[in-house]
Amino acid sequence: MSGLVRFSLLLLFSVTFLFAQDKTLVLRKVPLPPDIDGVIDPMWSQADSAIGFFQTQPYYGQPPSRATVAKVLTTDEALYCLIVCYDDQGNIQKTTGKLDDFAGDIVSIMLDTFGDRKTAYKFAVTASGVKADSRMLDDARNRDYGWDGVWFAESRIHEWGFVVEMEIPYRSIQYDETLNAWGLDFDRWIPHLTEDLYWCRYEQNEGQRISKFGRLAFVDFKPKVKGENLEIYPVGLTSANYLESKKYRIQSDVGLDIFYNPSPKLTFQLTGNPDFAQIEADPFEFNISRYETYYNERRPFFTQGNEIFMPSGRERNTGFYRPLELMYTRRIGKKLPDGSEVPLYLGTKAFGRVGDWEYGGFLAMTGATEFGLNGSMMTEPRAYFASGRVKKHILENSTIGVLFVGKFTEGNTYGVLDVDGVFRTSDWQLSYQLARSFKDNEGDFGGSAGFVMFQEKWITLARTRVIGEKFDIDQVGFVPWRGTAELTALTGPRWYYHEGYVSQILIYGGGQLYNEKVDGYTDQTVILGYNMQFRTNWGFEINSSAGRSRDLGTTFRSYELTLSSWFNPSPDFSGNLWGGYSRTYNFRRNYLAYYAWSGAEAGFQVLKTLQAGSSLGANFEFKPDRSIEDVVLNGRPYVSVTPVNNLNIRLYLDMLYFKSTDHVEQTIFGFLFSYNFLPKSWIYFAVNEVQNRRPEYGPLGTVLPNRLHVTDRAGVLKLKYLYYF
C-alpha cells in the first residue's frame, strides 16, 4: 500500500465524536471536485465521516462484522459521496450488471431533499460499479424504481475491501432551496454474511423510516444550481414485422421525449410519437375468477414521475392494502381484440411542489384505430386522457389529496374523482379513499380504507372496500369488482430472536366478510397463518382459510391452503417455491370444483458475467367429481450475459403446455440486446417470435395439419440518446 493511500485512510477515520452520536454530517464545500475513480483523494480528509453503522440483519442491534465509513463533500454544481467498505477481497461479489439490475455487495446514499420526512432519493452502487436509483415514498414504505437520474459513480476493489465514489449533480434532483439541512442515511448490504447495515438506527418491527433519517447540515453553503435543466431524447426506431409466407413489413419512425425542470421544484415531461412496444410479452396468468387479469405497467413514460398520481397508502412490504387503481395506464395505447395497438400520438406531464403542496397534471392523445371483431370491422375512436392531482402534507407525516382521471371521446365522457389520504406514524398507518365515477350521466361511489400496525410483539391489519354497482371506470382505471363489499381483519403475535437459527416467527388469525350483490350473499371466511424466517436468508409462510360462500346460485363450503417459500442460500443463488389447493367456483368452466397450483423459480450466477434461471408454473383444474379436467404448465427459462457493465444480452423461452391436448400450445422466443452507453441513453435490438397451434391454411384455403407454426415475428432496433443541458 502506497504512502499516499496510508495517509488518506488515516485521515478518513478522523471524525468528530459528537457528529457520530447525533447522526449529523456537516456538508463542506471544496473548490474543485474529487476525481470519481474509486481512489481516495487526500481532499476527502476535509469531510465529516459517517461511522458507527447499525446492523438490522441477521443479528439486529449487534455491532457490524465489517467496518464502513461514508463521507460527503460539495461544490457549487454537485454533491459528492465516498463510501469505504472493509472486507477480505475474496468475499466481495464481483458480478457485472446494468442499471437497476444488479447482484452482490452494494452501498447507497439516501437524501430527503425536501425535509418532508416522507420522500427521498436513493443512489446505490455495487462493488463492481453497477448503478441503481429510485425514489423512496410514504416514509420508505414504497419505492418508485421507474425514476432514473443523471449521476455518475465509480468503484474499485482493493485488497482490503472496496471503495465507491458518486457525483450527484444538483440539477439532476429536485430540492427545497430554503432548507438548512437534508435528511440523510447510508446503507450497506454484505451478501456473503446476509448482513444489512444502516448509518441510522431503526426499530426492528418498523424497518427503515425516512422520518428517522440523520441530517446533512449546510453551514456555509446551500445548493442553488438551476441551469437549463433540460433533457431531450430523440428516439429512432426501425421494426420488421412478419406478415405471412416469409414476407415482412419494414417500418421506420422517430419520436421525441423531453424533460424540463424550470426550477428545482417543477418538472415538465413531454413525449411525441413514442414507441410503446414491450420487449417481453406479459407473463402468462391462469385466471379462473370472474374478473379480468391485472398487468403491471412497464412503459417508461407512464412509470417515470408517476408517484404524484398514486393514491396514498400502498403497502409495498406486506401487499395487504392497495388503494383502488383509478389511473390504470394500460388503458392508454391499449391492445385491441385483434392484437393491434391503439397509437399514442402525444403525452405530457407536469408535477411539482409549493410549500406543503404537491401537484401534477397529465394529458395524452390516442388515434382512431380500426380492428376486427367476430368478422366485423370496428373503430376505436380518437381519445383524450387527462388527470389532475393535488396533495397536501398535513400534521407531521400525513397527507390528504384530490385526484381526477378522465377519458374524452366524441360524444362520450368517462372518469372518476377521488379524495384520499393517510394518517401515519413510524409503526402504524391508516389510509382512506372515497371516489365517484362518471360515465356520461351515470355514476356511483367506491371507496377503500386500510389500517396496518407493526408493533414489537404484535401486528394488526384491517382493510375494507366497497364498490357501487354502477362504479364503472373500465376506460381509465382497474376496479372490476362492481357491486361488492369486503372487510378483512388479521391480528397476531410476533417473536424476534436475537440468537440462533430462527430470526422471526409470526402467527396471525382473523376473518373476512365478502359480499357480491350478483350472488345476494355474504361470504364468511376464517383465516389462520404462520410465517417463519431464518438468519440464513430464507423463510416460508403457510396460510389457510375456510368458510361458506355462494357463486352463481350455489352455496358451498370453501377452503384454501397456500404455501410460499423464499431462499437465498448464497450470493450466487436465489429461488422461490409456492403452491396451493382450494375448493372454489371455477368461472372458466362454470362449475364448483377443486383447483390447485404450484410453481418454482430459481436464478444462478454461473459466472461473473453469466446468469441463468427458469420458472415453472403448474395449474390443475379438477372436475366436480375430483377427476382432472386439465393441467397447464408454463415454463420460462432464460440466459443473461453481461460481458461488461450496462451491456446485456438476454435470451428467453416461454412455453405453454396443456394436458388436454398433450401438446405445447404456444412458444415465445425472445432475444434482447441492450446497451446503456451514457446516462439515460440506450441502444436496443430485440427479436420476438411467437409460435402456436391456431388454425393454419394452405394456398388453396385448405386447413393444414395441427402444428406449431410462426404466427408473429418481429425485430426492433431502437436508439435513445440524451442531450443534457
Side-chain angles (χ1 to χ4, degrees):
M1 185 181 295
S2 69
L4 176 61
V5 173
R6 288 193 185 96
F7 175 74
S8 299
L9 289 175
L10 179 62
L11 291 177
L12 190 62
F13 278 107
S14 62
V15 60
T16 303
F17 177 77
L18 174 63
F19 290 149
Q21 293 300 305
D22 66 7
K23 299 301 182 185
T24 296
L25 290 188
V26 173
L27 182 62
R28 294 196 168 96
K29 182 181 174 182
V30 290
L32 296 174
D35 293 329
I36 305 301
D37 55 9
V39 176
I40 305 172
D41 296 332
M43 72 168 58
W44 282 110
S45 63
Q46 303 174 49
D48 278 338
S49 296
I51 60 173
F53 277 61
F54 184 83
Q55 182 179 165
T56 60
Q57 73 172 67
Y59 296 99
Y60 178 82
Q62 294 297 312
S65 61
R66 303 292 187 270
T68 308
V69 180
K71 288 174 171 277
V72 287
L73 288 171
T74 188
T75 63
D76 287 330
E77 303 294 325
L79 180 77
Y80 296 86
C81 176
L82 168 76
I83 304 180
V84 180
C85 303
Y86 291 88
D87 204 344
D88 294 335
Q89 187 181 45
N91 293 330
I92 300 170
Q93 194 176 18
K94 310 174 185 68
T95 57
T96 55
K98 60 183 187 293
L99 180 67
D100 295 335
D101 187 0
F102 57 87
D105 295 73
I106 189 166
V107 295
S108 65
I109 180 173
M110 291 152 281
L111 301 166
D112 173 7
T113 59
F114 284 96
D116 63 13
R117 298 161 57 87
K118 289 184 285 295
T119 61
Y121 291 97
K122 181 170 184 174
F123 302 91
V125 184
T126 71
S128 54
V130 184
K131 298 196 305 179
D133 53 23
S134 64
R135 288 279 292 153
M136 304 172 67
L137 311 173
D138 299 327
D139 202 8
R141 289 172 169 85
N142 288 299
R143 302 286 190 275
D144 176 10
Y145 294 103
W147 184 85
D148 291 325
V150 178
W151 57 290
F152 309 92
E154 290 291 340
S155 66
R156 181 169 297 195
I157 297 175
H158 303 272
E159 293 180 359
W160 42 266
F162 67 94
V163 173
V164 166
E165 289 185 292
M166 307 182 208
E167 176 189 351
I168 305 169
Y170 289 118
R171 63 177 178 169
S172 295
I173 58 177
Q174 294 183 309
Y175 56 88
D176 186 339
E177 300 173 66
T178 67
L179 294 180
N180 293 314
W182 289 353
L184 175 69
D185 197 11
F186 302 95
D187 181 21
R188 179 184 178 185
W189 169 248
I190 308 174
H192 75 95
L193 299 172
T194 66
E195 189 168 313
D196 203 8
L197 307 175
Y198 290 90
W199 181 51
C200 299
R201 179 189 178 106
Y202 302 106
E203 299 303 318
Q204 191 170 15
N205 57 295
E206 298 173 1
Q208 188 183 26
R209 291 290 180 258
I210 298 170
S211 55
K212 295 185 177 181
F213 273 14
R215 297 172 67 251
L216 179 63
F218 308 141
V219 176
D220 56 359
F221 167 84
K222 285 185 182 180
K224 296 185 181 298
V225 171
K226 295 181 180 179
E228 294 297 332
N229 299 297
L230 178 63
E231 303 175 16
I232 300 177
Y233 308 89
V235 178
L237 175 71
T238 298
S239 62
N241 293 278
Y242 179 77
L243 300 176
E244 59 182 8
S245 303
K246 299 182 180 179
K247 296 179 181 179
Y248 292 84
R249 181 177 67 248
I250 309 297
Q251 294 178 304
S252 296
D253 211 343
V254 295
L256 183 68
D257 293 335
I258 297 175
F259 288 81
Y260 177 45
N261 296 322
S263 78
K265 299 180 184 179
L266 177 61
T267 296
F268 288 107
Q269 183 178 352
L270 175 72
T271 186
N273 194 30
D275 164 47
F276 280 161
Q278 294 190 3
I279 298 301
E280 289 192 44
D282 288 314
F284 172 75
E285 296 286 345
F286 197 86
N287 186 355
I288 66 168
S289 78
R290 60 173 21 134
Y291 304 111
E292 69 171 300
T293 300
Y294 178 87
Y295 293 103
N296 289 322
E297 179 63 85
R298 293 183 286 172
R299 299 171 294 179
F301 172 74
F302 293 112
T303 59
Q304 293 175 358
N306 200 42
E307 61 181 85
I308 183 64
F309 301 101
M310 296 167 54
S312 302
R314 186 181 298 265
E315 275 283 344
R316 176 180 63 94
N317 292 331
T318 66
F320 178 77
Y321 171 73
R322 291 185 60 178
L324 304 179
E325 187 130 3
L326 306 179
M327 185 176 174
Y328 182 41
T329 53
R330 291 291 292 254
R331 308 291 192 204
I332 306 173
K334 63 184 178 181
K335 284 192 175 184
L336 298 170
D338 65 353
S340 60
E341 292 186 0
V342 175
L344 180 97
Y345 293 141
L346 184 70
T348 184
K349 292 180 185 177
F351 46 91
R353 292 178 180 239
V354 176
D356 290 333
W357 293 85
E358 292 184 65
Y359 59 89
F362 169 88
L363 289 171
M365 181 180 72
T366 59
T369 309
E370 291 189 346
F371 63 96
L373 180 63
N374 299 326
S376 301
M377 293 304 296
M378 310 288 288
T379 299
E380 178 74 16
R382 178 187 299 272
Y384 299 87
F385 294 83
S387 180
R389 174 69 159 165
V390 178
K391 183 166 64 173
K392 188 179 191 311
H393 298 260
I394 61 175
L395 304 177
E396 187 169 314
N397 201 358
S398 304
T399 61
I400 184 171
V402 178
L403 173 67
F404 164 79
V405 186
K407 176 182 178 181
F408 308 91
T409 62
E410 186 176 354
N412 297 103
T413 301
Y414 315 90
V416 63
L417 182 65
D418 156 84
V419 176
D420 63 84
V422 60
F423 297 100
R424 66 165 70 94
T425 66
S426 60
D427 67 351
W428 65 265
Q429 175 172 284
L430 173 63
S431 311
Y432 59 92
Q433 179 183 42
L434 178 64
R436 166 76 179 185
S437 70
F438 54 89
K439 183 177 180 182
D440 296 328
N441 295 322
E442 292 187 348
D444 209 339
F445 288 95
S448 68
F451 177 78
V452 178
M453 175 181 284
F454 288 94
Q455 297 175 308
E456 184 178 359
K457 297 182 179 180
W458 202 269
I459 70 162
T460 303
L461 312 172
R463 70 184 180 212
T464 184
R465 183 183 70 201
V466 180
I467 310 298
E469 290 183 274
K470 294 183 179 180
F471 189 83
D472 183 356
I473 62 168
D474 289 350
Q475 297 294 320
V476 295
F478 185 88
V479 185
W481 315 283
R482 290 192 287 275
T484 66
E486 175 203 346
L487 174 62
T488 302
L490 302 172
T491 189
R494 175 164 61 177
W495 295 271
Y496 291 109
Y497 300 92
H498 298 293
E499 297 179 345
Y501 188 58
V502 177
S503 63
Q504 180 184 154
I505 292 177
L506 166 65
I507 300 175
Y508 58 88
Q512 181 184 72
L513 300 176
Y514 185 66
N515 180 272
E516 292 178 293
K517 289 188 177 181
V518 67
D519 295 315
Y521 188 80
T522 299
D523 298 350
Q524 306 133 49
T525 305
V526 176
I527 302 169
L528 182 64
Y530 180 83
N531 180 294
M532 193 170 188
Q533 300 185 36
F534 303 88
R535 295 196 196 283
T536 49
N537 214 21
W538 78 279
F540 68 88
E541 181 167 351
I542 300 174
N543 182 284
S544 62
S545 61
R548 293 192 62 81
S549 304
R550 178 187 294 170
D551 285 308
L552 297 185
T554 302
T555 303
F556 58 96
R557 291 190 178 277
S558 61
Y559 50 82
E560 181 175 283
L561 179 67
T562 65
L563 168 67
S564 60
S565 180
W566 52 96
F567 43 92
N568 301 275
S570 78
D572 297 326
F573 175 75
S574 63
N576 293 277
L577 290 170
W578 64 87
Y581 183 77
S582 68
R583 184 171 187 253
T584 186
Y585 202 91
N586 186 334
F587 287 90
R588 179 182 167 93
R589 305 287 182 179
N590 284 323
Y591 54 59
L592 172 66
Y594 294 89
Y595 171 63
W597 62 96
S598 63
E601 63 179 359
F604 304 86
Q605 193 71 45
V606 182
L607 301 170
K608 174 185 175 181
T609 59
L610 174 64
Q611 187 181 59
S614 182
S615 65
L616 177 63
N619 297 274
F620 305 87
E621 290 182 284
F622 295 89
K623 298 178 181 178
D625 63 4
R626 301 194 181 187
S627 62
I628 292 287
E629 176 78 63
D630 206 353
V631 179
V632 179
L633 303 179
N634 179 223
R636 292 174 63 94
Y638 71 89
V639 174
S640 180
V641 181
T642 310
V644 295
N645 285 342
N646 299 318
L647 190 155
N648 178 255
I649 299 169
R650 177 181 171 88
L651 298 121
Y652 75 94
L653 185 64
D654 190 329
M655 299 174 291
L656 201 59
Y657 166 86
F658 286 78
K659 182 180 182 300
S660 56
T661 63
D662 197 25
H663 285 121
V664 173
E665 294 294 325
Q666 177 177 284
T667 63
I668 301 175
F669 168 77
F671 167 87
L672 172 63
F673 169 89
S674 60
Y675 180 34
N676 182 202
F677 57 95
L678 288 172
K680 291 191 174 184
S681 299
W682 293 81
I683 296 175
Y684 295 102
F685 175 63
V687 176
N688 287 308
E689 178 179 290
V690 179
Q691 296 188 13
N692 61 35
R693 295 179 182 272
R694 73 186 188 193
E696 183 182 15
Y697 301 92
L700 300 178
T702 56
V703 179
L704 299 178
N706 181 277
R707 62 170 187 152
L708 279 174
H709 61 282
V710 176
T711 56
D712 190 18
R713 181 186 291 145
V716 176
L717 176 63
K718 180 179 178 180
L719 172 63
K720 179 179 180 180
Y721 183 78
L722 166 65
Y723 289 93
Y724 188 53
F725 299 91

